[in-house]
Amino acid sequence: MNPHPLRLGALLAALVLAAGGGWWGRAEASIHTYGRESFREVGNAFLLSGGSEGIVADGADLAAPDSSFIKFVNVTFWRNAESAESHAKMAHSTGLVQAILFEAADRDNIGGSAYGGQRSICCTPDLAKLEGCKQGEVIRRPSSDDPDWPVVVDTHFSANHLSVKLDDEEVHITKTGMYNLFFISCDPKVRGLAMSGKTIWRNPGGYLPGRMAPLMRFYVFMSLAYLLVMVVWFSNYIRFWRDILPIQNWITLVIALGLFEMTLWYFEYLNFNSSGVRPVGITTWVVTVGAIRKTISRLLILSISMGYGVVRPTLGGLTSKVLLLGLTYFLASELLDISENVGTINDISGKAKLFLVLPDAFLDAFLILWIFTSLSRTLEKLQV
């Protein structure tokens, strides 16, 4: 075998294409389901986040006749028995819960601050004088673009009832943007608040959030790109089958996994767009295939950089270290992708995912450093 630096570079180029396909964003759900989720105390309010998604306005896509809306379905608020029993049976309004829907650009129109102090969500006596808001309710200022926004839906508890149902309303979206939904109670006497039900967020073309809709087309292009690479690769693979190196069999596997992964992502998005839900099992399998592909492709790049299949038949004592790094990277990548794709309901990732991003980023950086260090040594050997 007479290796050449150009041959090494060609092998690395093929693997870089296969490794790069998974470094793109993914998606989250558009039907938000709430199962007796508890409100948390934030400042002078009790608050529960209902979701955050990008939505395309009606008419922005002329080819899609379906409307854009956010719909409340069987949303029910619950309070504890102690809070309910503190009110008389004949009392009319014994607690207020408000659903606040606003576009991200109008976020400063919610809440206020008295005399430059701490910002409050709920109207206080001082803010009632300054802002003209109603004490005990959320502070809302009309949007400069549409005075009907932010949208506020009031729901009142009656008498000493433990629960109250919000009317099944449908809010039509007339402006493309990132929308946020919060359920807020400003009544300090309403304790132990929880909520059940669901909200449906729909774009003109289906249930995919606006930020994710282009990704379905992206996966079509990626599937075609992988198919083209596979055709070219297999034609040469068959043509020169007598001269195939063991490492090239692994490259073939990586390309096949890439095509399989991109195709799975497309059909997963297609199902999600038509039904509005993402089966956990299917999404987990797609994520796992992607994690396997990324792990194998990175280990192959590292192995080739070390000279495996080019200037050395085995990695010798480095085999165990490479495999250990691969296993660690697979676990980190799998956990990160699962947290981003399986069971998530919003377009905006939570801060907790930072702890999963850091290990994955650190391992990628370590792999890149090891790859270039090994590649430099291997090229020196080839020149000699």
Side-chain angles (χ1 to χ4, degrees):
M1 177 169 55
N2 296 315
H4 190 276
L6 290 178
R7 190 174 188 179
L8 176 64
L11 291 175
L12 288 173
L15 281 175
V16 167
L17 173 64
W23 296 351
W24 295 83
R26 301 284 192 240
E28 293 84 26
S30 64
I31 293 184
H32 300 246
T33 303
Y34 319 100
R36 282 292 188 112
E37 297 186 22
S38 299
F39 284 58
R40 58 190 179 91
E41 189 171 357
V42 179
N44 64 343
F46 296 96
L47 179 146
L48 175 65
S49 174
S52 178
E53 287 189 12
I55 298 182
V56 179
D58 288 339
D61 186 358
L62 298 178
D66 295 325
S67 62
S68 300
F69 60 81
I70 297 174
K71 185 177 181 180
F72 300 91
V73 180
N74 295 325
V75 173
T76 304
F77 302 104
W78 307 78
R79 58 183 174 181
N80 60 26
E82 181 181 354
S83 177
E85 291 171 359
S86 64
H87 299 282
K89 293 183 179 180
M90 302 301 294
H92 176 60
S93 177
T94 58
L96 172 65
V97 182
Q98 296 176 291
I100 312 294
L101 178 62
F102 60 93
E103 204 261 328
D106 297 328
R107 58 184 176 274
D108 292 333
N109 292 354
I110 303 297
S113 175
Y115 310 112
Q118 186 177 2
R119 191 173 182 84
S120 299
I121 298 175
C122 298
C123 186
T124 61
D126 289 337
L127 285 170
K129 297 176 183 178
L130 295 173
E131 300 276 354
C133 57
K134 187 174 180 180
Q135 188 174 347
E137 296 185 2
V138 173
I139 302 171
R140 170 204 178 271
R141 288 178 293 277
S143 170
S144 58
D145 296 328
D146 187 345
D148 293 332
W149 284 82
V151 173
V152 179
V153 181
D154 294 343
T155 304
H156 294 269
F157 282 94
S158 297
N160 58 355
H161 297 164
L162 288 174
S163 65
V164 61
K165 184 177 178 297
L166 185 148
D167 293 336
D168 290 349
E169 294 194 20
E170 188 174 290
V171 181
H172 290 273
I173 305 301
T174 57
K175 178 185 176 184
T176 299
M178 178 69 72
Y179 286 86
N180 301 276
L181 173 64
F182 288 93
F183 299 96
I184 302 173
S185 174
C186 296
D187 190 344
K189 296 180 181 179
V190 180
R191 293 286 178 176
L193 266 178
M195 190 189 75
S196 61
K198 66 180 179 180
T199 54
I200 300 174
W201 306 53
R202 185 177 173 85
N203 274 286
Y207 289 100
L208 279 177
R211 184 178 69 95
M212 297 158 45
L215 289 176
M216 190 163 66
R217 186 177 300 172
F218 164 78
Y219 286 123
V220 173
F221 290 140
M222 285 301 299
S223 297
L224 294 175
Y226 268 105
L227 182 61
L228 178 62
V229 171
M230 178 169 283
V231 169
V232 174
W233 180 267
F234 266 101
S235 62
N236 286 278
Y237 186 92
I238 296 173
R239 182 182 175 186
F240 302 104
W241 67 273
R242 295 180 183 274
D243 301 318
I244 293 298
L245 299 174
I247 196 73
Q248 290 170 318
N249 294 323
W250 288 100
I251 296 176
T252 304
L253 174 62
V254 171
I255 296 175
L257 283 173
L259 175 61
F260 185 49
E261 180 195 2
M262 294 300 114
T263 305
L264 284 178
W265 273 119
Y266 170 73
F267 284 107
E268 199 267 349
Y269 270 47
L270 187 64
N271 173 73
F272 174 38
N273 191 48
S274 60
S275 66
V277 295
R278 303 180 73 182
V280 173
I282 295 176
T283 309
T284 302
W285 273 108
V286 179
V287 165
T288 302
V289 170
I292 293 173
R293 179 193 55 77
K294 288 188 289 184
T295 301
I296 294 177
S297 60
R298 282 159 174 76
L299 292 187
L300 284 178
I301 295 175
L302 177 60
S303 300
I304 294 174
S305 300
M306 291 178 173
Y308 174 65
V310 181
V311 296
R312 57 196 301 180
T314 66
L315 295 178
L318 293 173
T319 302
S320 58
K321 296 180 180 179
V322 171
L323 292 177
L324 179 60
L325 177 62
L327 177 61
T328 306
Y329 181 84
F330 170 77
L331 293 175
S333 179
E334 177 81 351
L335 290 174
L336 175 61
D337 288 343
I338 285 177
S339 69
E340 290 181 339
N341 295 281
V342 180
T344 55
I345 61 173
N346 298 317
D347 260 346
I348 299 177
S349 299
K351 294 181 180 179
K353 291 177 185 168
L354 179 64
F355 295 102
L356 297 174
V357 171
L358 288 177
D360 189 77
F362 172 78
L363 288 171
D364 261 330
F366 182 77
L367 273 165
I368 292 171
L369 180 62
W370 197 357
I371 286 169
F372 278 99
T373 302
S374 302
L375 182 60
S376 177
R377 294 173 182 171
T378 301
L379 290 176
E380 288 178 1
K381 291 182 180 179
L382 288 174
Q383 289 174 356
V384 171

